[in-house]
Amino acid sequence: MTPLPPEKSEEDRIRPHVYDGIQEFDKRLPNWWLYTLYLTIVFWVGYWAYFEWFRAGPTSAQEVGAELARIEAARLAVAQVDDPTLWQMSRNPAITAAGRAVYDANCAACHLASLRGKAESPVAIGPDLTDNVWVYGGRPVEVHALITKGVLAKGMPTWGPVLGPRKISEVTAFLLSRHREGDPIVLQPPSTP
Ligand code: HEC
């Protein structure tokens, strides 16, 4: 065994093993290395708590799903307005969320936040938008056209110039999300005022 070189301190003791004639000093890990390790441990605890214990952050699958919905929403926004497109929009969470916002800001006053209007409260002005009974037609394009034009004589405003076609498609999709494709459509003649 070779003696310690004189310049080496107490800390740098030689470790007892010998491999292939090579001996090692028992070096203390450098501080930058240790602090980096401690930092990663602290980060791990926070990261694990956020995503695994409290499940506060989205999972990768949710992130991918939301991103795909956003891409599809952008594609559908420029598509023409027809029944299949509007039904497809009604199944897209990015679009129905936008439609919900349009609805809450413009429609809930009369049709109520629940969409149930007169069916929920007799003092509501607008009719129920969740049932299968429609006055002006229940096909997606008919609902879209009715919202655009309104029924001024009956108190349903004309939304076309206020909201524009994109927001009307979004709010129509939101209404349709409370229905199912293929549900029966019961036509009710407009009541005389
Ligand atoms: C000022 C009150 C008021 C507001 C605000 C309003 N509506 Fe209406 N809405 C009505 C009334 C009243 C009717 C019923 C008209 C009729 O029966 O002739 C109606 C009817 C409708 C119908 C037709 C229902 C059917 O059975 O055919 C749809 C769809 C509709 N509204 C959607 C909307 C949407 C979407 C908004 C928001 C962008 C909105 N309404 C905002 C009062 C309102």
Side-chain angles (χ1 to χ4, degrees), residues 106-107 110-111 125 127 129 134-136 146-147 154-156 159:
N106 302 285
C107 325
C110 295
H111 293 280
I125 299 168
L129 299 174
W134 298 92
V135 180
Y136 302 96
L146 184 275
I147 297 169
K154 299 286 187 64
M156 165 69 181
W159 292 106

Side-chain angles (χ1 to χ4, degrees), residues 81 86 137 139-150 164-170 172-173:
V81 175
L86 286 167
R139 281 179 49 217
V141 286
E142 291 169 332
V143 176
H144 188 281
L146 184 275
I147 297 169
T148 307
K149 282 201 238 89
R166 180 166 178 171
K167 282 186 172 170
I168 291 183
S169 293
E170 287 168 353
T172 306

Side-chain angles (χ1 to χ4, degrees), residues 44-153:
W44 169 79
V45 172
Y47 185 92
W48 192 261
Y50 186 77
F51 283 104
E52 299 295 332
W53 287 333
F54 303 120
R55 303 215 174 266
T59 64
S60 304
Q62 285 167 335
E63 275 178 0
V64 170
E67 186 60 14
L68 286 176
R70 202 187 56 73
I71 293 167
E72 190 197 50
R75 188 173 60 75
L76 289 173
V78 293
Q80 68 197 63
V81 175
D82 55 22
D83 287 353
T85 307
L86 286 167
W87 277 120
Q88 205 183 343
M89 289 172 91
S90 78
R91 291 184 289 264
N92 181 299
I95 293 180
T96 53
R100 166 102 246 181
V102 173
Y103 182 87
D104 286 345
N106 302 285
C107 325
C110 295
H111 293 280
L112 304 190
S114 63
L115 284 72
R116 303 220 49 234
K118 284 188 176 134
E120 178 180 306
S121 156
V123 293
I125 299 168
D128 188 355
L129 299 174
T130 62
D131 61 10
N132 294 332
V133 182
W134 298 92
V135 180
Y136 302 96
R139 281 179 49 217
V141 286
E142 291 169 332
V143 176
H144 188 281
L146 184 275
I147 297 169
T148 307
K149 282 201 238 89
V151 195
L152 279 181

